[in-house]
Amino acid sequence: MADGSERRHAVPLTDAALAMLPSSILRPTYDRSMLRPGIVHIGVGNFHRAHQAWYLHRLMQAGLAQDWAIIGAGVRPGDAIMRDKLLAQDCLTTLVELDPSGTSAEVVGSMIDFLPVETDNANLIAAMSNPNVRIVAMTVTEGGYYVDPKTGGLDLTHPDIVHDVAHPDSPCTAFGAIVAALSKRKAAGHGPFTSQSCDNLQGNGDILRTIVVSLARATDEDLADWLETHATFPNSMVDCIVPATGADEIALAAQLGINDAAPVTHENFRQWVIEDAFCAGRPDWDKAGAIFTDQVHSYEAMKIRILNAGHQVLANAGELLGLATIADCMAHPTLRRFFRKVQMDEIVPHVAEVPGFTPAAYVDLIEPRFANNAIRDTTRRVAFDGSSRHTGFVLPILRDAIQANGAIAGLSLVEALWARMCAGTREDGSAIESNDPHWETLTIAAQKAKTNPQAWLAQTQYYQELAQVHDFSQQFETWLRLIWSDGVEAALNAYTA
């Protein structure tokens, strides 16, 4: 851990100071002053900087993609805080790779600016209207797409969307800003940009297309038709474990010799699988290790079902047991056995192979990744927004298992653990702070479910027809009653036994 003196003696992260960094730290070898923008990225969090920005940086290190530099953007108050931090360090980011065998660092320079964060998104719209911008990408989290859970389409009743429909020239959402910019490009005789989702959603490009085109159609039928014909929304699968940044991560960067206000730590694994559908060109990301394929859905189904759903298998139980990180969850013998059994018995049977990987081999790959104790990926972060993550990652597997008449005891227990966690206390009596956009209503339902488990399943916005499936509802009720009466470990042992 670095103390204050270590940080004071660390080199400030700026273009002017790059040459003063310790020789062990990789840094841009290209002339950043010569880079030209080609991408606007909305939602400049840790994952984007460790993933898409890194792939682009690797191309730039090879003398390629010099006209594809990233302009950062955001529409939330937190984005303004990130903007201030990154502009103060010339939009450079320190990436710290955490591996049990050692730690290494690299400074990434593929981002060159960060737009002001405004309520009317005027600067964002202007930047995306520029024909030099050929890709608009985003990482806005799984729950940030204004999807109506009942229809799968755009939620036209959400106040933000109502605002954007009423004020298309001064929208408050990223999607409204995208539609406004595309409208300006059409009017000016320019072609559309590619809209690229980098979020953990199955069919993320298809979802983004639905949201953007539906929002356009709410105000301009001709624009929506033009987008249907000319715009592209490639699907992609993204994979890299990237913990949140706090004081420890900032201190670690200082230990390595860099004074970075927003460093990013990450595991020693990355995967990016992309549908090659870019209407205005793209960087050659495959030369940096990305995979272009028409089988994105198979790759993403494997990753979302085994890794993302696997995170939910661990995180809710881990939170209840007071385990701070995912590595701690994997170090807990009972919880690790639970994880393995649910994966092999109830998830793997509903995952198709991809070239070079069987589902069982993928489980073997992610187990040591989750167990990497150099990665402080907090249980709380992984458990965040369960209302989106359970509906997006876990419940589709449950539906497939029910349809196939497969085993569902473990998946039912996963849902019971989520219900117990949302009651708001750990088994030691400590409070679980709000950790979901719908925490208040979830907590009310969870507390009712303590004596009436079916009250949890009555949340039709999540469970829909599943609440009426007798086998699932009865197994869920049995598990939840056991958790409340005998505790989490008793339920996990009953399942694994």
Side-chain angles (χ1 to χ4, degrees):
M1 196 62 58
D3 58 23
S5 63
E6 284 183 290
R7 189 166 185 197
R8 284 194 299 274
H9 289 97
V11 176
L13 184 57
T14 64
D15 280 327
L18 283 175
M20 295 185 286
L21 291 175
S23 59
S24 59
I25 297 172
L26 300 175
R27 79 287 311 267
T29 57
Y30 45 91
D31 184 350
R32 296 186 73 231
S33 69
M34 299 301 292
L35 297 179
R36 301 181 304 282
I39 299 172
V40 169
H41 189 93
I42 303 170
V44 184
N46 284 13
F47 184 82
H48 163 69
R49 291 183 291 145
H51 201 262
Q52 185 192 47
W54 177 87
Y55 279 95
L56 191 60
H57 167 75
R58 299 307 298 170
L59 292 181
M60 292 174 172
Q61 292 286 67
L64 305 172
Q66 307 290 297
D67 61 341
W68 284 103
I70 297 166
I71 298 174
V75 298
R76 303 172 302 175
D79 295 316
I81 297 171
M82 181 62 74
R83 177 178 188 263
D84 291 343
K85 290 179 179 179
L86 291 182
L87 286 181
Q89 54 195 50
D90 297 325
C91 294
L92 294 164
T93 290
T94 307
L95 299 185
V96 181
E97 182 177 286
L98 301 177
D99 185 85
S101 65
T103 299
S104 60
E106 178 174 15
V107 173
V108 170
S110 52
M111 179 182 292
I112 59 173
D113 198 5
F114 202 130
L115 299 171
V117 180
E118 304 162 312
T119 55
D120 64 358
N121 288 307
N123 276 280
L124 174 56
I125 293 168
M128 295 188 295
S129 301
N130 187 326
N132 291 328
V133 170
R134 288 148 285 163
I135 296 174
V136 171
M138 62 170 56
T139 40
V140 296
T141 77
E142 298 87 356
Y145 281 75
Y146 298 96
V147 174
D148 183 331
K150 294 183 179 178
T151 68
L154 175 65
D155 182 1
L156 289 165
T157 67
H158 192 286
D160 292 348
I161 300 301
V162 171
H163 173 278
D164 285 4
V165 172
H167 306 90
D169 296 326
S170 55
C172 66
T173 73
F175 309 101
I178 287 171
V179 171
L182 288 166
S183 178
K184 289 181 179 294
R185 290 172 75 117
K186 179 176 180 289
H190 304 313
F193 47 72
T194 296
S195 297
Q196 183 181 27
S197 171
C198 298
D199 280 301
N200 274 320
L201 291 164
Q202 192 158 0
N204 55 11
D206 296 335
I207 292 170
L208 182 55
R209 171 188 287 276
T210 295
I211 300 306
V212 170
V213 173
S214 297
L215 187 53
R217 198 168 296 284
T219 57
D220 187 337
E221 290 279 354
D222 289 342
L223 175 62
D225 291 341
W226 182 72
L227 295 176
E228 290 276 21
T229 302
H230 299 289
T232 52
F233 302 80
N235 291 298
S236 67
M237 185 277 282
V238 294
D239 190 4
C240 183
I241 296 174
V242 182
T245 294
D248 289 349
E249 288 70 30
I250 292 170
L252 176 58
Q255 276 187 328
L256 296 171
I258 308 176
N259 191 346
D260 186 338
V264 177
T265 58
H266 62 93
E267 66 171 330
N268 60 339
F269 177 90
R270 283 186 185 86
Q271 190 175 37
W272 196 11
V273 183
I274 318 167
E275 183 181 12
D276 199 357
F278 290 79
C279 61
R282 61 164 175 80
D284 293 327
W285 281 309
D286 51 320
K287 294 181 179 178
I291 300 169
F292 286 102
T293 178
D294 59 1
Q295 297 185 52
V296 171
H297 287 303
S298 296
Y299 281 91
E300 70 185 356
M302 177 176 286
K303 186 257 181 173
I304 285 174
R305 293 196 167 199
I306 294 177
L307 188 148
N308 295 106
H311 262 155
Q312 301 312 301
V313 171
L314 291 171
N316 303 145
E319 183 71 284
L320 290 166
L321 293 170
L323 302 172
T325 69
I326 294 301
D328 291 338
C329 292
M330 292 297 284
H332 189 285
T334 305
L335 187 48
R336 185 162 187 161
R337 284 196 302 272
F338 171 64
F339 172 82
R340 180 78 184 186
K341 182 173 174 60
V342 174
Q343 288 281 4
M344 301 307 292
D345 292 359
E346 302 188 28
I347 296 179
V348 162
H350 309 291
V351 178
E353 291 188 17
V354 299
F357 261 115
T358 65
Y362 192 71
V363 174
D364 291 338
L365 172 70
I366 67 165
E367 277 192 316
R369 292 172 60 194
F370 283 5
N372 180 354
N373 59 15
I375 293 282
R376 287 201 58 81
D377 196 11
T378 66
T379 307
R380 177 175 174 80
R381 184 199 75 83
V382 173
F384 172 72
D385 197 10
S387 58
S388 292
R389 295 180 175 184
H390 278 259
T391 53
F393 304 152
V394 181
L395 298 185
I397 308 170
L398 182 60
R399 287 188 171 90
D400 285 354
I402 290 169
Q403 186 173 7
N405 201 27
I408 62 168
L411 294 170
S412 302
L413 177 50
V414 169
E415 293 308 294
L417 289 162
W418 180 38
R420 170 63 183 86
M421 188 197 78
C422 289
T425 57
R426 298 181 184 87
E427 292 207 320
D428 63 5
S430 59
I432 299 173
E433 300 298 327
S434 173
N435 202 24
D436 191 287
H438 306 288
W439 185 255
E440 185 175 342
T441 56
L442 288 168
T443 299
I444 292 170
Q447 291 173 350
K448 289 180 180 178
K450 181 176 181 179
T451 55
N452 175 24
Q454 297 304 317
W456 180 260
L457 300 183
Q459 298 178 103
T460 56
Q461 67 270 41
Y462 309 127
Y463 290 99
Q464 300 176 22
E465 84 292 347
L466 288 172
Q468 308 306 316
V469 177
H470 183 267
D471 191 22
F472 166 61
S473 66
Q474 290 305 302
Q475 292 203 51
F476 169 86
E477 177 167 341
T478 298
W479 288 126
L480 187 56
R481 290 190 186 280
L482 179 60
I483 292 167
W484 277 113
S485 65
D486 294 3
V488 171
E489 284 205 60
L492 298 180
N493 281 320
Y495 172 72
T496 55

